[in-house]
Amino acid sequence: MSLTNAQFKAILKEYADIQDANRSEAERRKEEVLKAIPELTELDDSVSSLSVSAARSMLSGKTDAINALHARLAEISAKRKALLVSAGFSANYLEPIYDCPKCKDTGYINTTEGSQKCSCFKARELTLLYSQSNIREMLEGENFSTLSYQYYQGEDLLRFQSAVNICKDFTNNFNQDYANLLFYGTVGTGKSFLSGCVAKELMDRGHSVIYFSAATLFEQLARYTFGKKEKDSLQDFYDDLYSCELLIIDDLGTELTNDFVASQLFSCLNERGLRKKATIISTNLSLEEIRDRYSDRIFSRLSNSFKLLKITGRDIRIQKKIAQNK
């Protein structure tokens, strides 16, 4: 999932603004402390003179100069902290200020594989992507706190209760167990709702979740694949599609199904399976219709790698309208 240039630049500007604000706050703190503890100026000056003196000693062949410098700097640091605490400040009041200590508010961290986006950058990136898919608005009404069993009876109720329990186990064991869910069954029975419940729970725990309606997902893939100006973004799109912790594909079967869609769906399921990344799919199609509409290998992947949760009953939207008209 790639950001537009404008979105990417907006995130970088946000980091620059954070750095400026934290530098200003650090300067304010320093001025505040020096007014209260004038002795700190002398201590800070002594650090510079000690460093210069140690450098000269090392150049003249004194091998223990660096150890002596470290010992003296440790003494000065301890004295600074003691002075701060005695004046009513915290011991680390003059330490550098970062909103994200991991990347020091740059958005990137250095790893053995090179520079990579920090989790805070990914969170900002996903926030923009979620807003595009309207998932945050959707989750305000679709979460476990608003879940109700009142629209189900008999076997339909038992199926829904079982699906809810499986969803809760899915979220509770998300860090330990790799699993995928496929909700299928009749229209308007809560399949998309349960997907939203899982998404909300995992997002609140800090996991990356990307939501797509099937129609939007394959339209995006087609645009990136065949659009002359969009091809450069295709790999970024794949990277996020394959690497997010949970991918939700809603209303599978509402897209215009063709060979391209079937190929992209299989690639997505296969790659996420290899990476052990969870996927949730909801559809109004029956299992037989899924097998007939797509391919045997897709059906095989779904039936073997997904927990198949059939949800049935009367259309909840219709039930609500009837109740409102009474």
Side-chain angles (χ1 to χ4, degrees), residues 10 37 133-134 150 188 265 310 324:
I37 316 173
S133 64
N134 296 318
Q150 72 179 90
L265 178 58
K310 186 175 184 178
Q324 290 172 356

Side-chain angles (χ1 to χ4, degrees), residues 82-188:
L83 287 171
L84 286 168
V85 172
S86 66
F89 299 100
S90 64
N92 62 351
Y93 195 66
L94 293 180
E95 295 295 321
I97 303 168
Y98 302 115
D99 283 17
C100 179
K102 288 192 296 184
C103 69
K104 295 182 171 56
D105 298 333
T106 63
Y108 288 84
I109 56 176
N110 291 322
T111 70
T112 55
E113 299 177 354
S115 179
Q116 294 185 356
K117 292 177 183 176
C118 182
S119 58
C120 66
F121 190 105
K122 292 179 180 179
R124 287 175 168 83
E125 190 176 36
L126 288 169
T127 295
L128 289 173
L129 297 172
Y130 294 154
S131 65
Q132 290 175 345
S133 64
N134 296 318
I135 192 171
R136 291 202 183 277
E137 290 79 2
M138 180 183 78
L139 297 186
E140 290 178 4
E142 298 185 2
N143 53 72
F144 284 123
S145 66
T146 61
L147 186 145
S148 172
Y149 296 102
Q150 72 179 90
Y151 300 104
Y152 304 89
Q153 295 179 350
E155 185 177 358
D156 298 333
L157 176 59
L158 294 176
R159 282 177 172 164
F160 188 71
Q161 288 174 327
S162 176
V164 170
N165 291 333
I166 290 173
C167 287
K168 290 182 177 180
D169 287 341
F170 179 88
T171 57
N172 290 333
N173 299 319
F174 192 77
N175 290 330
Q176 295 79 34
D177 299 334
Y178 164 66
N180 304 295
L181 304 178
L182 172 66
F183 301 116
Y184 73 102
T186 50
V187 176

Side-chain angles (χ1 to χ4, degrees), residues 218 252-262 285 293-294:
F218 295 115
L252 184 69
T254 56
E255 78 287 348
L256 179 61
T257 308
N258 51 36
D259 290 343
F260 172 79
V261 167
L285 300 174
R293 178 175 294 214
Y294 302 100

Side-chain angles (χ1 to χ4, degrees), residues 6 108 114 150 155 230 245 259 273 276 305 312:
Y108 288 84
Q150 72 179 90
E155 185 177 358
E230 305 284 359
E245 292 177 277
D259 290 343
K276 300 297 181 184
S305 303
T312 56

Side-chain angles (χ1 to χ4, degrees), residues 115-322:
S115 179
Q116 294 185 356
K117 292 177 183 176
C118 182
S119 58
C120 66
F121 190 105
K122 292 179 180 179
R124 287 175 168 83
E125 190 176 36
L126 288 169
T127 295
L128 289 173
L129 297 172
Y130 294 154
S131 65
Q132 290 175 345
S133 64
N134 296 318
I135 192 171
R136 291 202 183 277
E137 290 79 2
M138 180 183 78
L139 297 186
E140 290 178 4
E142 298 185 2
N143 53 72
F144 284 123
S145 66
T146 61
L147 186 145
S148 172
Y149 296 102
Q150 72 179 90
Y151 300 104
Y152 304 89
Q153 295 179 350
E155 185 177 358
D156 298 333
L157 176 59
L158 294 176
R159 282 177 172 164
F160 188 71
Q161 288 174 327
S162 176
V164 170
N165 291 333
I166 290 173
C167 287
K168 290 182 177 180
D169 287 341
F170 179 88
T171 57
N172 290 333
N173 299 319
F174 192 77
N175 290 330
Q176 295 79 34
D177 299 334
Y178 164 66
N180 304 295
L181 304 178
L182 172 66
F183 301 116
Y184 73 102
T186 50
V187 176
T189 51
K191 298 182 294 296
S192 297
F193 181 93
L194 287 179
S195 297
C197 288
V198 173
K200 176 69 162 59
E201 193 72 20
L202 291 178
M203 287 171 62
D204 287 348
R205 299 181 189 186
H207 294 288
S208 59
V209 180
I210 293 180
Y211 164 91
F212 275 111
S213 69
T216 300
L217 171 60
F218 295 115
E219 284 174 7
Q220 288 272 65
L221 283 167
R223 180 164 63 85
Y224 284 133
T225 301
F226 302 114
K228 293 182 179 178
K229 297 181 179 180
E230 305 284 359
K231 287 186 177 181
D232 291 342
S233 300
L234 181 60
Q235 190 56 52
D236 288 336
F237 189 95
Y238 280 139
D239 287 344
D240 288 327
L241 191 66
Y242 296 158
S243 64
C244 66
E245 292 177 277
L246 174 65
L247 172 66
I248 297 176
I249 303 176
D250 196 25
D251 277 337
L252 184 69
T254 56
E255 78 287 348
L256 179 61
T257 308
N258 51 36
D259 290 343
F260 172 79
V261 167
S263 174
Q264 291 294 320
L265 178 58
F266 178 79
S267 295
C268 181
L269 297 178
N270 185 60
E271 186 62 34
R272 288 187 63 80
L274 292 173
R275 300 187 187 195
K276 300 297 181 184
K277 299 295 184 180
T279 304
I280 293 179
I281 297 175
S282 68
T283 180
N284 294 327
L285 300 174
S286 67
L287 295 180
E288 292 77 11
E289 288 171 327
I290 293 174
R291 182 188 58 207
D292 294 342
R293 178 175 294 214
Y294 302 100
S295 63
D296 288 338
R297 64 177 183 169
I298 288 176
F299 182 75
S300 175
R301 183 58 53 90
L302 291 173
S303 58
N304 290 314
S305 303
F306 283 66
K307 292 182 180 179
L308 307 180
L309 304 177
K310 186 175 184 178
I311 302 177
T312 56
R314 297 165 56 201
D315 191 323
I316 293 174
R317 289 180 286 269
I318 293 177
Q319 291 187 64
K320 288 181 177 180
K321 286 183 179 180
I322 293 174

